[in-house]
Amino acid sequence: MTVVDTFQRPLRNLRLSVTDRCNLRCAYCMPEEEYAWLPRASILDFEEVARLVTAFTALGVDKVRITGGEPLLRRELATLVRLLAANPKITDLALTTNGVLLDAQASELRAAGLGRVTVSLDTLKPEVFRELARRDDLERVKAGIRAAKAAGFPSLKLDAVILRGTNDGELCDLLEYARGVGAELRYIEYMDVGGATRWSQEHVVSRAEMLARIADRYGAIEPLREASSAPAERFRLKDGTVFGIIASTTAPFCGSCDRSRLTADGMWYRCLYATRGTNLREALRSGLSEEQLNELIGSTWRVRTDRGAEERLAAHERGALAPRETLAQDPHLEMHTRGG
Ligand code: SF4
């Protein structure tokens, strides 16, 4: 059974945050010094996560992406991967990581049943990495990418968030690097999501501009027509190199969005921009039966109307989504808590 929302969008793709903590402080996600963290007692254990995922897969979810914060900070993560990989309804089990800890964990995660890995890599320059992430871990990230290849993941993707004046000069270098390691690069437009407190339109490099600058270097770019709800639009260069662009800021794709997010403490959000969520942790810990849990999730999705990025694009004045004070009152509004 697959439940659909008010726009006939199916509940299919669950982004599963397993921690709100991160070992980097990327300027487009965690630019501040201080953060309010989720209380440890509220963090779901792996059994609870697996039970909730079972409820979601009973309602049509078949794609699960493990995220954070930084998911590899969660101890024994391979145990959770093994639990989820044992769920026959999950046809696509993926993980997004900043790569800093991947070198040590790639083969164990692969052996546990993880299917795909996406590594965030925004720059190839150590000084820019230090500026963007406020840590000096570029070489560890590159070692993690090599380890993912060596572990035999069938598909490896690299995500690069492009900020004007910071790493937009590396559009083609990142593409060359990705091609060199046998990965598919996706450029991501700088998004005004919760936590991006320094966001401004002038720092956004749009999809259109990225394509124009890449075409300047490589010539004609062919759009790949694909019937997919995946956020990335894909393109091919004359030499066959394929890359993607996730243009949520200037060309949102809410119309086909089948994604929702579960935070590490069991709050479920039907949209990245949603301000209110459903507390599935309380539902679980208060003893709801499987049927009652399915009914709660199903009925909540059926009334979904979210099209957050489109509403942001239509907004008259567009600045940062929420000020620091508001985020400090509810850390669930933060992207690093929702898993991007
Ligand atoms: S903004 Fe919300 S509705 Fe639009 S694509 Fe993102 S998660 Fe989906």
Side-chain angles (χ1 to χ4, degrees), residues 180-332:
V181 296
E184 181 175 314
L185 180 68
R186 286 107 57 92
Y187 302 103
I188 303 179
E189 288 182 343
Y190 185 17
M191 293 168 68
D192 57 341
V193 289
T197 50
R198 312 282 164 83
W199 186 91
S200 70
Q201 192 73 47
E202 77 213 38
H203 292 117
V204 174
V205 180
S206 71
R207 165 195 178 278
E209 183 179 343
M210 290 189 214
L211 288 171
R213 288 166 71 169
I214 295 165
D216 281 349
R217 166 83 172 270
Y218 296 103
I221 298 171
E222 177 203 352
L224 298 183
R225 305 280 170 224
E226 298 167 313
S228 159
S229 65
E233 215 184 329
R234 300 170 74 221
F235 303 88
R236 184 169 29 226
L237 301 179
K238 275 189 235 151
D239 68 2
T241 301
V242 172
F243 67 92
I245 299 181
I246 299 177
S248 180
T249 302
T250 65
F253 33 79
C254 303
S256 62
C257 177
D258 59 5
R259 287 173 297 283
S260 66
R261 293 163 173 85
L262 187 68
T263 64
D265 66 343
M267 288 296 294
W268 181 43
Y269 292 91
R270 296 171 296 186
C271 173
L272 187 54
Y273 288 92
T275 51
R276 282 183 320 124
T278 305
N279 192 332
L280 296 181
R281 178 187 77 252
E282 249 169 39
L284 200 63
R285 291 182 179 175
S286 67
L288 252 64
S289 68
E290 203 171 313
E291 292 68 34
Q292 292 169 317
L293 209 50
N294 292 6
E295 179 45 36
L296 172 60
I297 295 170
S299 59
T300 306
W301 186 261
R302 283 190 199 96
V303 296
R304 179 195 188 220
T305 57
D306 298 76
R307 302 175 82 109
E310 286 175 1
E311 285 157 17
R312 294 295 299 165
L313 184 61
H316 183 55
E317 286 200 15
R318 195 173 184 179
L321 183 68
R324 272 187 305 178
E325 303 68 39
T326 309
L327 298 169
Q329 279 151 25
D330 181 4
H332 295 100

Side-chain angles (χ1 to χ4, degrees), residues 17-234:
S17 170
V18 293
T19 179
D20 60 335
R21 310 290 172 133
C22 191
N23 47 2
L24 295 181
R25 290 290 181 273
C26 300
Y28 50 80
C29 176
M30 297 181 80
E32 304 300 337
E33 291 304 323
E34 300 292 324
Y35 284 93
W37 304 110
L38 300 176
R40 290 201 184 279
S42 70
I43 303 296
L44 301 175
D45 64 33
F46 291 159
E47 293 298 327
E48 290 175 317
V49 173
R51 277 191 58 202
L52 285 177
V53 172
T54 299
F56 280 104
T57 55
L59 295 163
V61 164
D62 58 9
K63 296 178 194 309
V64 174
R65 178 170 288 275
I66 299 171
T67 67
E70 170 46 41
L72 301 189
L73 284 171
R74 181 84 188 245
R75 273 200 291 273
E76 312 291 335
L77 186 63
T79 304
L80 175 64
V81 169
R82 218 167 281 116
L83 277 174
L84 297 177
N87 180 334
K89 290 194 173 137
I90 299 176
T91 58
D92 181 8
L93 183 57
L95 175 134
T96 298
T97 170
N98 63 27
V100 173
L101 302 173
L102 189 54
D103 189 14
Q105 298 187 37
S107 53
E108 186 191 8
L109 291 168
R110 180 69 183 138
L114 186 65
R116 297 188 297 128
V117 171
T118 299
V119 182
S120 304
L121 180 70
D122 303 317
T123 177
L124 297 167
K125 299 176 178 170
E127 69 279 10
V128 176
F129 192 100
R130 282 192 294 274
E131 179 199 331
L132 250 178
R134 287 183 287 157
R135 301 289 186 278
D136 203 0
D137 289 320
L138 177 58
E139 288 314 312
R140 294 179 74 185
V141 174
K142 290 161 87 175
I145 291 168
R146 291 192 296 273
K149 283 305 288 185
F153 284 101
S155 118
L156 177 62
K157 294 207 168 78
L158 303 181
D159 278 357
V161 178
I162 304 299
L163 276 69
R164 189 181 305 286
T166 301
N167 61 344
D168 60 313
E170 297 181 68
L171 287 177
C172 299
D173 297 342
L174 286 162
L175 197 54
E176 296 289 334
Y177 175 81
R179 181 165 48 194
V181 296
E184 181 175 314
L185 180 68
R186 286 107 57 92
Y187 302 103
I188 303 179
E189 288 182 343
Y190 185 17
M191 293 168 68
D192 57 341
V193 289
T197 50
R198 312 282 164 83
W199 186 91
S200 70
Q201 192 73 47
E202 77 213 38
H203 292 117
V204 174
V205 180
S206 71
R207 165 195 178 278
E209 183 179 343
M210 290 189 214
L211 288 171
R213 288 166 71 169
I214 295 165
D216 281 349
R217 166 83 172 270
Y218 296 103
I221 298 171
E222 177 203 352
L224 298 183
R225 305 280 170 224
E226 298 167 313
S228 159
S229 65
E233 215 184 329
R234 300 170 74 221

